[in-house]
Amino acid sequence: MAERFDVVVVGAGPAGSAAALVAARSGLSVLLLERGPFPGAKNMFGGVVYCRILDTLVPNWWTEAPVQRWVTRRQTMVLADGQALTVDFRNQNWGSEPYNGATAYRAEFDAWLASKAEEAGATLVCSTTATGLLTSESGRVHGVRTDRPDGEVEASVVIACDGVNSFLAKEAGLYPNWSADHYTVGVKEVLALPSAAIEERCGLGGDEGMDIEILGGTGGVPGGGFFYTNRDTVAVGVVLSVAGLRDSGRRPEEIIADLKAHPAIAPLVRGGELVEFTAHTIPEAGLAGMPRTVGDGILVAGDAAHLCLAAGIWLEGVNFAIGSGAFAAETAVEAIRAGDTSARGLAGYRRRMANSFVLADHKKLRHAPHLILGERAQTRYPRLICQLAEQVFTITNPDPKLGVRRWARRAMRDSGVRLHELAKDAWTGWRSFG
Amino acid sequence: MTEASPFVAAALKHVAVRARVDPLTGEESPETWGASDADLAALEWALRLGERWSMPVLAITVGPSPAETVLGTAAAAGASHLVRVEMAGDAPSRSVATALAAALAAYPGGPVVVCCGDASPDRGSGSVPAFLAHELGATGALGLVGIEPGERGVLAATRRLDRGRRERLRVTALAGAPAVLSVEAAGVRLRRAALPAVLAARDAPVEVIPGPASRSEPEARVRTVRRGPYRPRAKVLPAPAAADPRARIRALAGGRAERRTPQALALDPEQAADHLLAYLRETGYLS
Ligand SMILES: Cc1cc2nc3c(=O)[nH]c(=O)nc-3n(C[C@H](O)[C@H](O)[C@H](O)COP(=O)(O)OP(=O)(O)OC[C@H]3O[C@@H](n4cnc5c(N)ncnc54)[C@H](O)[C@@H]3O)c2cc1C
């Protein structure tokens, strides 16, 4: 006879562990399945977690979470050939309680969060892949099949937290509009450097960290770059549109090599020894790529529900995963107690997400992915911004200064930007970010 | 296990199976703990012997409580009895063997065969099985790559010798005159545990036996006087065929060797699959 749990959570990433934690705390029997040998074993990200969402789940999480550095310096960098314009913001308040963002290693962070779920009573089983859903004739999900012998598990609710490209959500028919164009591929190198060198190069003290989000610098392939500091490593990487990468005929490691050679990045990574090279897809289409997140007996959370927020200056997925995982579990608890785990009984999930940052941010920023991955934002605007900066800061004596209006006109001409396009994008940007 | 039923034992060490090495300082910090591949192979052989001879399988480990993780793995795979000898994790080989032998000998029924991994990945010397055989007064067959169970208490074993040779051994073992087998991580993989067994293993009872009071190394006639730094084993390479010594050196060093430059191809999925298959055939991975 198949094993039985109130809730089966598939995937012990941030979404799954948060879901398991909340469901187990409510007294339900919870099975948390992870295909890797331990939670986090198979996971990667750029490197910054924004844990405000953990305040209620794990009070004082900062005293125990495995953090590399507390981010006190954030930069947004626009790169063009041999040029960079950087907005640099430093905030020492982020270096003390209750903190803002922290760099972390997924192998450590995910394992820690999963241990919290276990402490709450969830049963974590690793090295076990959910290979499919158990469904009734009416299509109602009532458990999962795993790759272990006698590996079927019955559950009142399955929470699919199996990450980007969720096979379970697809099998449940929740992804009718799935398209490869909704995804980017993130590729990163982790380079070892002495912590003193990292601190000196980035102007950091003790356990402070820096985070740079980069626009441009991807060799014309739509995407962006990032640079994060850990204790004694730095992460440098790119996020590239899958279709753009294919069309470019280039390899991601070449693009990272070019990024590392850019004069704005080279001094930061000089002498770093490669200790890790990883790649992972990212659901980057925002609201446009989102599946249905509720089915009969099933809820979908985190990247599996396409909830990663990738909007230029923000690349946030872990907090969205934790938030949605927790909401999915709250909904499952409520539905199981009410004895209705049909899609209707689970409908509160969507409502919970809509009333929080999880869907509200996505709604607000729904036009951002298209804008940011567009050709103009990728190549022409970085060129425009850098050329404008070049003109402003180049002293052309004995010629007098032209003034911003004429500099702007010249920079627009040279970078191929048209005024009406700029106005249109500015309006879209304002509606998204404003 | 009935009161006095002889058993097959698997001795497992809880060890850092992967360590993070700081590329700057060379400092190591353990990352993933568990049983080594050789220990898992030993467990699989023990389970096969137990099945074939209708004997229960006892998994035993020496160490502090986190070592019970490896017993959980054994329980999920089918070990019916779990024993942990309470001792520090870094106890010397001789003390570990003494503690193991005392626990096994005292266990009702007594061991017929004890399977161990040949050497643990934390730069273990591989001496525990030999010490254990000595302490138990057992037959020792060490460094095995294959075991074929025969009739109850009889087995054929294959041992790897230097220069690619193999040696076939016939081992007989009885309760009271057991055999200690150490196996390489070769030939078998631990079976995949069924999900109910994995879940049940979480609550499987572990008998905890106190280890010997003193941790000091027993009086030995051979003592380690000095230990040199770790050097990976030299790998024997076939001599390059070229007549010219410079060409031979170049071949050994890999200089000017012909390399295929990486290609990026934009193909539809079917063509891509054909291309991959062709490449695998060409490079000998597929025949
Ligand atoms: C290059 C890159 C940079 C990023 N940078 C950041 C950043 O700086 N900050 C940030 O907040 N976010 C970042 N993200 C996004 C973030 O990593 C994800 O949004 C987040 O990890 C989603 O969490 P999740 O739990 O939904 O999925 P995942 O973290 O992908 O976890 C899914 C889990 O499910 C397991 N699994 C999958 N299938 C199965 C199965 N069938 N059976 C059992 N287990 C299964 C996997 O092994 C994994 O453990 C980045 C992502 C990438 C790729």
Side-chain angles (χ1 to χ4, degrees):
Chain A
M1 211 178 70
E3 298 286 330
R4 204 192 142 77
F5 287 82
D6 292 325
V7 177
V8 170
V9 181
V10 179
S17 290
L21 171 63
V22 170
R25 262 196 202 146
S26 305
L28 298 188
S29 62
V30 180
L31 177 64
L32 176 57
L33 291 173
E34 169 54 45
R35 65 181 170 180
F38 60 89
K42 299 183 82 71
N43 301 343
M44 67 85 82
F45 77 152
V48 182
V49 288
Y50 299 97
C51 287
R52 195 71 314 112
I53 183 69
L54 276 181
D55 288 350
T56 46
L57 294 182
V58 187
N60 297 333
W61 53 268
W62 53 82
T63 58
E64 50 174 312
V67 159
Q68 289 288 312
R69 285 176 183 272
W70 299 105
V71 175
T72 54
R73 198 171 172 197
R74 281 199 72 157
Q75 296 190 346
T76 299
M77 192 181 269
V78 180
L79 293 188
D81 276 351
Q83 297 176 321
L85 183 90
T86 306
V87 177
D88 182 359
F89 181 64
R90 185 188 279 275
N91 185 358
Q92 292 309 115
N93 291 338
W94 290 340
S96 54
E97 290 173 21
Y99 301 99
N100 180 45
T103 54
Y105 292 135
R106 289 296 298 276
E108 292 174 0
F109 184 82
D110 290 13
W112 168 75
L113 196 55
S115 76
K116 294 279 121 192
E118 278 192 287
E119 276 169 27
T123 301
L124 169 68
V125 174
C126 294
S127 301
T128 305
T129 304
T131 51
L133 295 167
L134 301 178
T135 42
S136 66
E137 273 179 17
S138 65
R140 208 202 115 76
V141 174
H142 59 90
V144 295
R145 205 172 299 115
T146 70
D147 63 343
R148 286 193 178 271
D150 302 328
E152 294 190 352
V153 198
E154 296 275 348
S156 304
V157 177
V158 171
I159 306 183
C161 301
D162 48 339
V164 61
N165 199 18
S166 164
F167 287 104
L168 296 186
K170 283 190 202 165
E171 188 183 334
L174 300 176
Y175 258 109
N177 301 320
W178 188 88
S179 159
D181 292 340
H182 292 159
Y183 297 88
T184 54
V185 59
V187 188
K188 87 166 177 180
E189 289 185 3
V190 176
L191 307 168
L193 281 169
S195 47
I198 296 174
E199 283 149 24
E200 196 185 306
R201 290 176 193 188
C202 300
L204 304 169
D207 55 2
E208 293 169 2
M210 181 167 81
D211 148 350
I212 310 180
E213 306 296 340
I214 302 166
L215 186 64
T218 51
V221 177
F226 56 82
F227 172 90
Y228 301 122
T229 54
N230 298 311
R231 218 169 288 139
D232 48 14
T233 63
V234 295
V236 59
V238 288
V239 171
L240 304 165
S241 132
V242 172
L245 182 63
R246 181 200 58 208
D247 295 343
S248 74
R250 300 195 67 198
R251 300 184 58 86
E253 60 271 27
E254 291 169 11
I255 297 174
I256 295 190
D258 288 350
L259 179 66
K260 287 195 304 182
H262 191 284
I265 303 295
L268 300 175
V269 297
R270 194 181 47 238
E273 181 164 341
L274 182 67
V275 288
E276 190 183 297
F277 182 90
T278 42
H280 205 276
T281 36
I282 308 178
E284 251 204 70
L287 218 52
M290 250 171 237
R292 275 170 32 227
T293 49
V294 181
D296 283 332
I298 185 169
L299 295 168
V300 189
D303 274 11
H306 213 103
L307 283 167
C308 184
L309 181 79
I313 51 174
W314 296 296
L315 175 50
E316 299 170 36
V318 171
N319 46 339
F320 282 79
I322 294 173
S324 58
F327 291 142
E330 280 174 18
T331 312
V333 172
E334 187 182 74
I336 289 169
R337 290 202 175 130
D340 179 6
T341 56
S342 67
R344 191 190 300 178
L346 294 169
Y349 177 42
R350 184 90 190 172
R351 206 173 42 245
R352 282 185 166 87
M353 289 200 291
N355 290 338
S356 79
F357 73 100
V358 175
L359 271 187
D361 283 0
H362 273 288
K363 271 202 185 127
K364 181 154 188 52
L365 291 160
R366 65 188 174 283
H367 301 296
H370 189 68
L371 175 69
I372 283 158
L373 290 178
E375 188 273 331
R376 289 193 291 278
Q378 287 291 318
T379 45
R380 286 193 257 169
Y381 295 156
R383 232 184 287 144
L384 170 76
I385 292 168
C386 287
Q387 285 195 4
L388 190 58
E390 183 183 9
Q391 294 183 66
V392 172
F393 295 122
T394 304
I395 309 304
T396 53
N397 300 162
D399 294 340
K401 296 190 187 351
L402 289 181
V404 173
R405 205 159 4 118
R406 286 171 71 188
W407 279 326
R409 225 182 288 143
R410 190 185 282 180
M412 280 175 65
R413 192 192 58 220
D414 292 351
S415 54
V417 173
R418 304 223 171 80
L419 191 59
H420 69 274
E421 290 169 341
L422 184 63
K424 196 173 125 208
D425 290 341
W427 173 239
T428 311
W430 175 249
R431 275 201 304 162
S432 296
F433 297 100
Chain B
M1 199 178 317
T2 54
E3 262 311 287
S5 143
F7 57 88
V8 177
L12 308 171
K13 182 174 180 184
H14 185 240
V15 68
V17 282
R18 270 184 48 196
R20 185 192 290 265
V21 181
D22 186 322
L24 300 166
T25 61
E27 216 172 273
E28 293 167 33
S29 43
E31 209 174 42
T32 313
W33 290 79
S36 68
D37 287 343
D39 278 13
L40 295 178
L43 174 60
E44 177 59 31
W45 289 123
L47 291 167
R48 289 185 189 188
L49 290 172
E51 277 160 10
R52 179 67 188 267
W53 296 342
S54 306
M55 284 182 190
V57 174
L58 175 143
I60 186 165
T61 188
V62 174
S65 59
E68 288 179 15
T69 330
V70 297
L71 299 181
T73 307
S80 51
H81 282 66
L82 312 175
V83 175
R84 176 172 67 84
V85 184
E86 178 68 53
M87 243 170 114
D90 58 351
S93 304
R94 186 77 193 254
S95 310
V96 170
T98 310
L100 276 175
L104 288 169
Y107 211 89
V112 176
V113 166
V114 185
C115 298
C116 316
D118 65 337
S120 59
D122 53 353
R123 296 184 190 156
S125 61
S127 54
V128 167
F131 281 134
L132 179 60
H134 170 77
E135 295 284 339
L136 282 173
T139 309
L142 309 182
L144 306 179
V145 290
I147 295 174
E148 282 164 37
E151 287 159 28
R152 207 167 211 246
V154 181
L155 58 93
T158 308
R159 176 160 45 194
R160 193 201 305 274
L161 299 177
D162 285 350
R163 298 183 185 278
R165 288 177 303 150
R166 293 281 189 277
E167 183 176 63
R168 291 278 288 174
L169 306 170
R170 187 169 186 279
V171 181
T172 44
L174 305 165
V180 173
L181 312 178
S182 84
V183 301
E184 287 188 16
V188 286
R189 270 175 188 275
L190 180 62
R191 65 197 56 192
R192 186 130 176 89
L195 187 60
V198 174
L199 294 170
R202 305 167 66 86
D203 302 320
V206 174
E207 287 175 55
V208 182
I209 298 175
S214 151
R215 258 201 47 192
S216 64
E217 191 112 17
E219 188 70 26
R221 282 192 287 169
V222 178
R223 280 188 306 118
T224 310
V225 182
R226 193 179 66 82
R227 188 169 285 146
Y230 175 67
R231 305 236 188 276
R233 272 190 214 163
K235 199 167 148 194
V236 182
L237 294 174
D244 172 14
R246 270 194 310 168
R248 287 206 296 271
I249 289 174
R250 235 187 279 130
L252 276 176
R256 295 209 203 147
E258 234 182 75
R259 280 205 191 88
R260 273 172 90 141
T261 40
Q263 295 171 282
L265 301 169
L267 301 172
D268 66 34
E270 269 173 35
Q271 283 175 321
D274 287 345
H275 195 83
L276 283 173
L277 289 172
Y279 177 78
L280 292 174
R281 267 188 214 106
E282 200 182 306
T283 45
Y285 290 103
L286 281 180
S287 49

